[in-house]
Amino acid sequence: MTAPDAPRPRTATPSRRTALLTGAGAAAALGLGAPRARAATGRATAGGRDRVLRVRPDGTGDLPTVQAAVDATPDHPDRPWTIVLAPGTYRETVGVPESKTGLTLLGSTGDPRDTVIVHDNASGTPRPDGSGTYGTSGSATVTAAADGFTARRLTFANDFLRADHPEITAQQAVALRVLGDRSLFDRCRFLGHQDTLLTDTRHRTLTARQYFHRCYTEGDVDFVFGRATAVHAGGEFRMLDRPVDFTPYGFVFAPSTAAGTPHGFLAMRCRFTSEAPDGAYKLARPWVPSSDPTAWPRLVVRDSVMDAGTDTAQPYANMREQYPWQGFLFREYANRGPGARIPVPENRPLLTAAEAAAHTPEAYLGDWDARAALRRAR
């Protein structure tokens, strides 16, 4: 994913690292600090029946790092495992391989601000072994490839800062890359700048259904992107300010839905908020990757509230001129707020009421009842 233009300094840029890792205002606005989650019980032992591992950064838990706990769970278990994370900042990269099906990561306090998994790789960051750079997908702080993955009340962050690394021009920096089917995220935060949240699949011929319940996602350029079937219900998308003198500052969504996948991104009853000047952001642009020129991006935003940060006259744009946004499914329905005005109707296609009936969480998720899974996880 590329920036709309090369950034040019507007003013001295204060570091946002502290803001990335706290963000208390955003969490409070969503009510993410309450109620407290029930504490997990049990303690894992080798060969025992318990299915809970506890991680504490001071080493007093079962294991001291998230990755060590993931590695300690069995492959393809007959019963799901839960990894309970004590409050703290876990500076590491985490990979949940395809074999760790049904795994849950749980923040123990109930407040996602208390438990943060963070790293600072960018696409252009050199790998330590000298084999090249990480690339966009490889920059992810957490990569979850397993089906049935669940995360609750956690923060996933990539605190790579452009100002700290002027030598790196490939500035995509992913906080979470999720690839598995039936992936559930409850009251989580995803913090970054460019390419914060990658909702992906293990292969373009596979469908991966992902449900984000009351989550908070922030960034600037294409900060929610990918080819998964991803439903965002009741969340917030925060458009960040940038020290640049051009517009657009960035784009919220960049779907790359594979041609054979019936549904792409759905944002329903969400809030779109902004730190940037009025009209500084586009809502979306289609991403047709060079590796999949047959992609047919799809996005529906409905029943949501938008502040003035969105460009109402031209909310959509092209990523490449040979793939104009009008050739894909970009639709809205029953949105409100200053950012939802429609001064130029041909630039902001709407669903009819009959069409909107086909764009619901149930329609997108099919035989997976994500809401029932959410109730069971509590």
Side-chain angles (χ1 to χ4, degrees):
M1 311 296 291
T2 56
D5 202 346
R8 297 186 294 274
R10 183 176 63 193
T11 58
T13 308
S15 173
R16 276 187 38 79
R17 182 162 282 117
T18 300
L20 280 174
L21 300 185
T22 55
L30 277 176
L32 294 179
R36 293 282 174 177
R38 290 176 295 174
T41 59
R43 184 177 181 86
T45 58
R49 293 183 178 180
D50 295 346
R51 295 167 293 160
V52 174
L53 286 173
R54 297 179 181 278
V55 179
R56 297 185 65 90
D58 62 5
T60 61
D62 295 313
L63 292 158
T65 69
V66 182
Q67 187 63 62
V70 171
D71 294 343
T73 64
D75 292 342
H76 306 291
D78 58 351
R79 295 184 299 170
W81 279 70
T82 296
I83 296 173
V84 181
L85 305 185
T89 298
Y90 298 84
R91 181 162 286 278
E92 58 178 300
T93 59
V94 178
V96 181
E98 185 178 346
S99 60
K100 307 294 184 179
T101 52
L103 184 66
T104 293
L105 298 185
L106 172 65
S108 63
T109 71
D111 188 336
R113 295 170 297 181
D114 293 341
T115 310
V116 180
I117 308 173
V118 59
H119 211 271
D120 61 353
N121 289 329
S123 176
T125 301
R127 292 180 180 271
D129 62 5
S131 61
T133 59
Y134 282 99
T136 299
S137 59
S139 73
T141 297
V142 175
T143 299
D147 290 341
F149 177 79
T150 297
R152 299 185 55 229
R153 300 177 185 264
L154 295 172
T155 293
F156 301 85
N158 189 316
D159 63 354
F160 171 84
L161 296 176
R162 299 177 177 109
D164 290 352
H165 297 281
E167 78 285 2
I168 294 178
T169 57
Q171 299 173 337
Q172 301 91 335
V174 178
L176 173 71
R177 181 188 182 201
V178 54
L179 301 96
D181 189 32
R182 294 174 287 103
S183 297
L184 173 65
F185 297 86
D186 177 30
R187 298 178 186 254
C188 290
R189 297 193 305 158
F190 309 103
L191 310 182
H193 286 276
Q194 183 171 349
D195 290 9
T196 304
L197 176 59
L198 172 50
T199 61
D200 205 355
T201 72
R202 293 193 296 267
H203 190 273
R204 65 184 178 88
T205 62
L206 298 176
T207 296
R209 296 163 295 177
Q210 300 162 5
Y211 187 68
F212 297 83
H213 173 254
R214 295 194 67 184
C215 293
Y216 169 88
T217 309
E218 69 174 28
D220 46 45
V221 180
D222 305 326
F223 62 92
V224 181
F225 71 112
R227 65 188 177 203
T229 297
V231 174
H232 297 263
E236 178 179 354
F237 301 97
R238 183 72 166 173
M239 298 168 269
L240 300 177
D241 200 1
R242 295 183 65 189
V244 295
D245 58 6
F246 58 78
T247 56
Y249 282 19
F251 307 81
V252 179
F253 298 106
S256 60
T257 321
T261 302
H263 301 292
F265 291 176
L266 173 65
M268 187 169 183
R269 293 190 295 275
C270 292
R271 292 190 299 132
F272 292 77
T273 62
S274 176
E275 299 175 359
D278 291 358
Y281 273 82
K282 304 289 189 184
L283 189 59
R285 59 180 178 175
W287 177 31
V288 179
S290 57
S291 60
D292 184 15
T294 65
W296 201 72
R298 299 162 173 82
L299 166 70
V300 171
V301 179
R302 58 172 298 176
D303 303 290
S304 295
V305 179
M306 301 181 180
D307 76 3
T310 302
D311 179 354
T312 58
Q314 293 184 314
Y316 306 103
N318 302 334
M319 186 174 294
R320 299 189 181 101
E321 293 308 312
Q322 65 266 43
Y323 300 112
W325 69 267
Q326 294 91 341
F328 305 106
L329 181 72
F330 285 78
R331 297 291 187 271
E332 297 179 57
Y333 180 76
N335 296 320
R336 59 195 188 277
R341 293 189 305 107
I342 309 176
V344 186
E346 60 267 31
N347 288 345
R348 200 153 199 180
L350 301 179
L351 297 172
T352 66
E355 290 170 336
H359 295 277
T360 64
E362 293 78 12
Y364 277 50
L365 301 178
D367 62 0
W368 177 42
D369 189 342
R371 293 176 182 174
L374 180 64
R375 290 191 295 270
R376 288 193 299 270
R378 289 177 174 172

